[in-house]
Structures are given as structure tokens and as C-alpha cells.
């Protein structure tokens, strides 16, 4: 489970909590990234091949706004550093990510910098492919809150 935490004196943080099958918490909350101005629309996907959870989120900090991701191991330790996964676009109002177990890749969709939604393939090593437009409404208000399964 992931969630945004906005009550620290140091700012917002993105947190994760491992949950047992019976519903009880395993250990304490994991601070995936702290010291943020905002941490929103977070997603989590399990990669059974790597035995890791990919946690991805919209991050707003001193470096700007962007979508970031990092692996969290099944034991709660970090499996990677923080990587930027959508360098060309960032909008807090929609984000979704899905893992394809046969190809070993992720696909993310998010609201872009225009009225349209953007998609991008991300490798298991968190290398981002080319971002491309996935909707074409032509409407002034565009599309919002894209989801992928």
C-alpha cells in the first residue's frame, strides 16, 4: 500500500506500508521519498520476477514536478534509487501504471502538459521509452485521470 503523508514539519512524503494477508501491518511505514512539496497520485505494482514492488508517484520538490519511481524489496528495503520515469510531462491529476509479466516492462499513462493523455513504456531497469500521446479528443477541456490495467 502507498500513500501521501502531508503532516511532517519537513513537508510531504510518499510512504509505503506492507500488509499481511490477514490485514495487519508488517513493520513500520517506509518513507519512499521525503521532503517534498507534494506527493500525489501514487501507484504500486508487484514484479514477481524481481520480487519487488515498483512504487511510482507525482513528486513536487525543489527540482520541479515530475513522475518518479523506485523499487521496494519484499522485505521493505529499497531495491533502487529514485528514478525519473516521465521527464517530458508531469501533471498531478492522473497517473496509472501496469506491469506486463511476459515482457517484463511497465506501461504508464498520465495527463500530459496539454489537454491530452500521454503513455510511456518503462523497462524493468526503470529506463523510460519515448513518451507519446494516447488520446486525441480535440476538445478544449481534454482528458483527465487515465488508467491502465
Amino acid at each position: 500500500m502507498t500513500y501521501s503523508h502531508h503532516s511532517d514539519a519537513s513537508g510531504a512524503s510518499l510512504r509505503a506500508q506492507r500488509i499481511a494477508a490477514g490485514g495487519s501491518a508488517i513493520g513500520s511505514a517506509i518513507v519512499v521519498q521525503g521532503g517534498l512539496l507534494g506527493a500525489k497520485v501514487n501507484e504500486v505494482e508487484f514484479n514477481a520476477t524481481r520480487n519487488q514492488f515498483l512504487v511510482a508517484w507525482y513528486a513536487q520538490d525543489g527540482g520541479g514536478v515530475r513522475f518518479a519511481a523506485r523499487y521496494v524489496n519484499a522485505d521493505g528495503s529499497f531495491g533502487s534509487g529514485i528514478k525519473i520515469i516521465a521527464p517530458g510531462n508531469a501533471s498531478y491529476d492522473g497517473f496509472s501504471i501496469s506491469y506486463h509479466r511476459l515482457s517484463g516492462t511497465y506501461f504508464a499513462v498520465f495527463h500530459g502538459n496539454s489537454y491530452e493523455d500521454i503513455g510511456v513504456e518503462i523497462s524493468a531497469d526503470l529506463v523510460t521509452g519515448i513518451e507519446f500521446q494516447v488520446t486525441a479528443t480535440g476538445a478544449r477541456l481534454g482528458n483527465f485521470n487515465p488508467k491502465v490495467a
Side-chain angles (χ1 to χ4, degrees):
M1 173 185 95
T2 59
Y3 61 97
S4 301
H5 183 76
H6 292 271
S7 63
D8 289 345
S10 63
S13 63
L14 180 76
R15 298 186 179 198
Q17 177 64 59
R18 294 175 302 137
I19 308 290
S24 60
I26 300 172
S28 58
I30 302 160
V31 178
V32 178
Q33 184 179 16
L36 296 167
L37 299 172
K40 301 174 180 159
V41 292
N42 49 75
E43 292 280 328
V44 62
E45 279 288 319
F46 184 67
N47 181 327
T49 303
R50 297 174 72 116
N51 198 31
Q52 294 176 317
F53 296 91
L54 179 68
V55 179
W57 67 98
Y58 167 88
Q60 182 181 5
D61 59 20
V65 294
R66 64 257 175 129
F67 287 106
R70 97 181 304 176
Y71 278 115
V72 176
N73 296 321
D75 67 3
S77 63
F78 293 123
S80 73
I82 296 170
K83 306 251 182 156
I84 304 306
I85 59 168
N89 290 276
S91 179
Y92 67 87
D93 64 358
F95 177 56
S96 182
I97 193 164
S98 182
Y99 176 67
H100 190 281
R101 112 183 132 75
L102 295 178
S103 68
T105 60
Y106 299 89
F107 187 73
V109 292
F110 44 90
H111 191 69
N113 294 329
S114 70
Y115 297 129
E116 302 299 342
D117 296 328
I118 304 297
V120 65
E121 185 179 36
I122 304 162
S123 76
D125 293 324
L126 304 184
V127 175
T128 303
I130 297 170
E131 298 175 22
F132 59 96
Q133 184 175 314
V134 296
T135 58
T137 62
R140 184 180 71 80
L141 296 176
N143 300 297
F144 299 93
N145 300 313
K147 297 294 178 195
V148 64

